[in-house]
Amino acid sequence: MILVEHGTIITVDAGRRILTDGSVLIDGAEIVQVGPARDVRPPRVPDRVIDARRMVVTPGFVDTHVHLSEHLNRGLLLDDIPVDRYLPDWLIPLYSVMTAEDEVHAALLAGIEMIRTGTTTFCEAGTLFEPAVVAAAVERLGMRAILGRWTWDLESGPDRMRQSTREALCANEAMLEQVNGGSGGSGGLVAAWPLLLGFGTCSEELIRGAKALADRHGVGWGMMHLASHPSRKTRDRLPLATLDGWGVLGPNAKLSHMVYLDDADIRLLARRGVKISHCPTAALKHTKGLAAHARVPEMIARGVCVSLGGDSGNGSNHFDMLRMMYLVATIYKDARLDVTVMPPETVLEMATIRGAESLLMERRIGSLEPGKRADLVLYDRDQPEWRPLLNPLNNLVYAATGSSVRSVMIDGRLVLDDGRITTVDERAIYERVEVLAREQVRRAGLTIESRWPTTG
Ligand SMILES: [Zn+2]
């Protein structure tokens, strides 16, 4: 039993309470009491008491779209590579030589970055080749996650990238059985879903098959449905109405990116309860016309569940939810010349409870309430960005940085304890990543380029 006492607690509970002198009592993996410090009474002496008088406590963030493996080649791609050459010239060669060790180290690196910036749960984008091996590594790190494997049938690539519709579905079924076991994905920390690459790479049969597989296993399914600008030479123009005609849109569907939508699309998403993962940092870097065209405030106003995704190591280049929150809280205000758009309360909901809903976990995570799993983040108030603490939500969304994250608990376990990762050897992972990254670039036949002379 762990007692976190006398903190400033942003609960995101049903009443959206913010407690200025609050406590959270954790028993095992579960939150058992949350309230004003005077009301929280442990039934026995806690094993550990964390003095949170100089802390702000929040639910852990939920990042709903991350390509783990691309963290191993983060920052490799220069800005002037045309967006439509990303995949064929860079990412496919890199993915095609990815080893299990690469995937594990990329996942650990990405996971440590997420923990250190307050994220406790993530959903992989569907780009792993060894999901069961990565699942074991993520469990070891102590994060909550949903993973997916590389799935398409219209495109091809070297060796394991080549899949028929049947092979793609069989591989997904095997993954669900292996990773989820009999639990339907609700037992352990890590589960798997059928997650498709989408954007013109998947047939109707594969999309229908993935949805049927998800239904049969009682899990969600997802697809990168980019909805890029019509002028772009991408093949992601599968209309939402067509998808709906196939009967695949429903509350267990999660679509990522989704920049270009019309009113009819938004009404359809709301009616079907489809979840949207908005990836603001990657959209900006990939020039998707976010500020001018995205309909995120309209989706939210219509009741569509919109969460946030960090996307990729060469897209947004980071998985820092605090920076994503700052961005979505400001970019739409400026684009619309309207200060009332995307208030910090809405943005924090996207990063927490909406993320939980997107992953069908809203009964287990996303807020600090009795009965939920103990996923929480403690920020050090003795950092300039947290002073003065007149409006904790404004400090969190507009001012806070990851450097003030002191401790992170996932499933009742302190994976970051007073600044130290407790579950893995962080330094050893960084050193191995440097070696693996260079080897991977070399195997892919690519070079590390720099416009400035990089000397010894
Ligand atoms: Zn993506």
Side-chain angles (χ1 to χ4, degrees):
M1 193 168 266
I2 299 177
L3 177 65
V4 178
E5 64 174 5
H6 299 298
T8 297
I9 302 178
I10 302 173
T11 62
V12 198
D13 66 6
R16 299 296 191 258
R17 287 182 305 161
I18 297 172
L19 305 164
T20 53
D21 179 21
S23 296
V24 183
L25 184 66
I26 297 112
D27 190 4
E30 197 177 300
I31 296 171
V32 289
Q33 294 183 43
V34 182
R38 64 178 178 277
D39 296 341
V40 172
R41 302 269 168 79
R44 54 188 158 86
V45 179
D47 303 297
R48 182 165 171 188
V49 176
I50 297 175
D51 180 355
R53 259 173 293 207
R54 303 175 91 82
M55 303 275 183
V56 174
V57 185
T58 72
F61 297 131
V62 181
D63 189 321
T64 58
H65 184 84
V66 294
H67 300 265
L68 292 177
S69 322
E70 286 173 48
H71 254 46
L72 199 65
N73 44 67
R74 164 164 41 195
L76 176 69
L77 279 67
L78 298 184
D79 282 8
D80 51 11
I81 296 166
V83 173
D84 60 354
R85 300 314 303 168
Y86 259 60
L87 212 56
D89 294 355
W90 295 83
L91 296 181
I92 296 294
L94 287 163
Y95 271 112
S96 69
V97 297
M98 191 84 66
T99 66
E101 191 190 6
D102 289 345
E103 287 194 333
V104 163
H105 279 78
L108 291 172
L109 173 65
I112 291 168
E113 181 181 355
M114 285 190 264
I115 290 169
R116 286 198 169 280
T117 49
T119 292
T120 52
T121 299
F122 67 85
C123 182
E124 207 276 331
T127 37
L128 295 172
F129 293 102
E130 301 284 353
V133 178
V134 174
V138 173
E139 290 260 9
R140 185 156 58 86
L141 181 60
M143 285 194 85
R144 196 181 299 285
I146 291 168
L147 306 180
R149 57 170 297 119
W150 191 285
T151 303
W152 65 9
D153 61 347
L154 297 183
E155 284 281 331
S156 194
D159 306 323
R160 64 187 171 183
M161 286 183 151
R162 216 171 298 131
Q163 303 162 27
S164 68
T165 310
R166 222 183 86 77
E167 285 164 348
L169 288 171
C170 285
N172 271 279
E173 178 123 53
M175 172 187 70
L176 295 185
E177 273 158 19
Q178 195 175 4
V179 178
N180 299 352
S183 68
S186 61
L189 274 179
V190 181
W193 283 11
L195 297 165
L196 311 182
L197 282 162
F199 53 93
T201 69
C202 298
S203 68
E204 176 184 345
E205 192 187 348
L206 180 55
I207 294 169
R208 283 178 184 268
K211 152 78 170 158
L213 194 56
D215 289 347
R216 211 159 55 239
H217 283 256
V219 297
W221 73 283
M223 185 162 73
M224 277 192 265
H225 188 277
L226 288 175
S228 286
H229 190 277
S231 70
R232 278 270 164 81
K233 289 194 212 78
T234 56
R235 289 188 289 143
D236 65 333
R237 264 167 271 139
L238 183 59
L240 277 180
T242 303
L243 279 176
D244 194 45
W246 297 347
V248 297
L249 295 185
N252 70 341
K254 179 173 75 69
L255 301 178
S256 300
H257 303 300
M258 308 297 282
V259 176
Y260 292 87
L261 297 166
D262 61 25
D263 289 338
D265 291 332
I266 294 173
R267 282 197 301 273
L268 178 60
L269 292 171
R271 205 160 58 238
R272 296 284 180 251
V274 175
K275 314 301 195 304
I276 302 304
S277 180
H278 175 37
C279 304
T281 41
L284 287 184
K285 190 153 176 282
H286 287 161
T287 62
K288 293 201 189 301
L290 200 65
H293 300 287
R295 310 285 305 280
V296 172
E298 287 74 14
M299 279 195 273
I300 292 169
R302 271 271 168 190
V304 178
C305 175
V306 185
S307 58
L308 293 171
D311 207 27
S312 65
N314 286 288
S316 76
N317 296 43
H318 68 77
F319 292 166
D320 181 343
M321 191 62 84
L322 291 160
R323 292 168 70 188
M324 281 182 251
M325 286 202 301
Y326 172 80
L327 188 61
V328 288
T330 52
I331 191 168
Y332 297 107
K333 285 184 175 66
D334 182 72
R336 314 285 170 93
L337 298 175
D338 181 355
V339 291
T340 67
V341 175
M342 304 296 278
E345 293 81 4
T346 300
V347 174
L348 181 59
E349 286 172 351
M350 293 170 82
T352 55
I353 192 70
R354 298 286 169 256
E357 285 170 27
S358 296
L359 305 186
L360 310 178
M361 291 188 197
E362 70 275 14
R363 295 217 185 97
R364 300 165 62 213
I365 58 165
S367 62
L368 302 181
E369 294 177 84
K372 286 205 172 179
R373 310 302 275 188
D375 291 5
L376 45 102
V377 181
L378 281 75
Y379 296 84
D380 182 0
R381 272 177 64 180
D382 284 340
Q383 296 282 331
E385 67 226 49
W386 287 101
R387 299 286 182 171
L389 195 62
L390 306 178
N391 181 316
L393 224 58
N394 279 342
N395 288 67
L396 179 66
V397 172
Y398 292 114
T401 69
S403 67
S404 68
V405 172
R406 292 304 302 171
S407 296
V408 174
M409 183 183 288
I410 303 175
D411 218 39
R413 178 187 191 193
L414 280 159
V415 295
L416 182 76
D417 191 352
D418 200 22
R420 194 179 64 82
I421 295 280
T422 62
T423 50
V424 293
D425 184 344
E426 191 178 2
R427 187 71 63 84
I429 290 163
Y430 294 152
E431 282 173 11
R432 190 70 189 133
V433 157
E434 288 293 340
V435 174
L436 293 174
R438 283 165 175 76
E439 285 176 359
Q440 188 198 35
V441 171
R442 188 179 45 73
R443 281 200 312 278
L446 300 170
T447 50
I448 301 165
E449 292 171 19
S450 166
R451 282 195 213 94
W452 283 4
T454 305
T455 61

